[in-house]
Amino acid sequence: MTALRDILVAQIAAQGPLTIAQYMTACLLHPEHGYYTTREPLGTAGDFTTAPEISQMFGELIGLALAQSWLDQGAPGLITLAELGPGRGTLMADILRATAGVPGFHSAARLHLVEVSPVLRARQAAALGAFDPVWHDSVEALPEDAPLFLVANEFFDALPVRQFLRDGRGWRERVVGLRDGALAFGQTDALPNSALAHRLADTRDGDLVETCAPAATIAAALGARIASHGGLALVADYGDWRSLGDTFQAVQGHATADPLAAPGLADLTAHVDFEALARAAPCAHTRMAPQGELLERLGITARAQALATKLGGEALNSHVAAHRRLTHPDEMGTLFKMLGLFPHSAPTPPGFLNDT
């Protein structure tokens, strides 16, 4: 039982069921009881751990890839260096440390962070205050007058999705309603859905497809800015090229949980549909790669070996485990993907292949 659960039960009783997207938005962003607005979710004391928190190598390699793309695009004298959902600032701190030796990169960069959580903004200020970051509530508020070099690690998975079950040539939407006074999943009647017309060819009755309009809107905005001003967006998240199946999930205390059990107290996510992001940004070039393969091509094993020479005992064991967790197919290496958005006129960013 949570305070937000009581609010949602009353709302559904008065107004009817919520879409999965409406439910996610309320649980994550409610101003008083939302998961992201009231707590720090990361780390051992939180509910989940992201790649930058696992090892400094992740941020270092991402930073050097950004800097190399900046050089490949002529080393413009003013750029927007941005991150969506920067967490505790760990990833950006590693990016900035790794690129400190790239002549001209720091003097060109103006740091901008898109973050809605007051709790996490405070942590980011502590980690990145020396670089004078500017915070924004949305991607649309980022500066439009300079090339954009941007990272988004486990940002898109928290954007609200809608779920649709195929029924003949129509679709039933999955919703959150009430059953005997408790939150419960339900379905609407089957209706045609023009936005899913292209999925009739690769789905059958009973198949579930997830859509995420906010993700498409953000990808379109990023693609347009990069196409017009230059830059690179690197999106790292779990998911696949095309959505199929129910991936809506809750994580609490580093374990999966019932997404309806404790509204506001658990993180809610869904896998990212990378094809939908690419389709939303046709004005930019896109490349996708499994995280493990891309990190290997960026040199993570050589970096891991260099760091290992200074370690021993439990520190060395943890370091080896971190390398495995980031890259191995049984860990994050295959489930997590990286998508690059860059100008059609620019070279393919480091780590990506020309034919993917």
Side-chain angles (χ1 to χ4, degrees), residues 5 65 67 78 95 104 118 121 152 156 160 166 172-173 191 234 242 247 260 281 306 315:
R5 182 260 181 201
L78 176 65
I95 287 172
R121 281 193 180 193
F156 282 90
R166 182 172 171 182
R172 296 179 180 272
E173 183 162 12
L191 294 171
L234 292 177
R242 179 173 291 183
T247 70
L260 303 184

Side-chain angles (χ1 to χ4, degrees), residues 155-170:
F155 170 83
F156 282 90
D157 65 85
L159 297 178
V161 299
R162 296 174 70 179
Q163 294 187 320
F164 297 91
L165 288 148
R166 182 172 171 182
D167 186 341
R169 297 193 64 81

Side-chain angles (χ1 to χ4, degrees), residues 42 52 62 80 119-120 133 166 254 267 270 288 293 300 319 354:
L42 293 159
I62 294 299
T80 297
V119 176
L120 291 176
R166 182 172 171 182
H254 296 271
D267 185 31
M288 189 184 81
E293 292 182 15
I300 191 171
H319 175 63
N354 285 323

Side-chain angles (χ1 to χ4, degrees), residues 144 148 217-230 280-284 341 343:
E144 299 185 43
L148 175 64
T217 299
I218 291 171
L222 295 178
R225 294 189 185 192
I226 288 170
S228 62
H229 290 90
C283 53
L341 288 81

Side-chain angles (χ1 to χ4, degrees), residues 305-320:
Q305 291 170 342
L307 290 172
T309 61
K310 304 175 184 178
L311 302 174
E314 186 55 38
L316 178 59
N317 293 337
S318 296
H319 175 63
V320 171

Side-chain angles (χ1 to χ4, degrees), residues 30-86:
H30 187 279
E32 294 181 25
H33 307 294
Y35 180 78
Y36 284 124
T37 53
T38 59
R39 70 195 63 240
E40 181 180 314
L42 293 159
T44 55
D47 294 309
F48 58 89
T49 302
T50 62
E53 306 287 337
I54 294 170
S55 171
Q56 69 186 68
M57 296 183 293
F58 183 83
E60 291 173 346
L61 295 173
I62 294 299
L64 292 175
L66 289 171
Q68 184 61 57
S69 287
W70 172 72
L71 290 169
D72 291 343
Q73 294 182 39
L78 176 65
I79 64 170
T80 297
L81 179 61
E83 184 175 359
L84 308 184

Side-chain angles (χ1 to χ4, degrees), residues 174-215:
R174 197 175 186 218
V175 295
V176 177
L178 299 177
R179 185 180 300 123
D180 298 327
L183 295 173
F185 290 113
Q187 300 174 22
T188 65
D189 293 334
L191 294 171
N193 188 325
S194 59
L196 292 174
H198 67 292
R199 297 307 306 270
L200 292 174
D202 72 321
T203 56
R204 299 177 297 177
D205 277 7
D207 281 349
L208 186 146
V209 171
E210 294 171 340
T211 66
C212 186

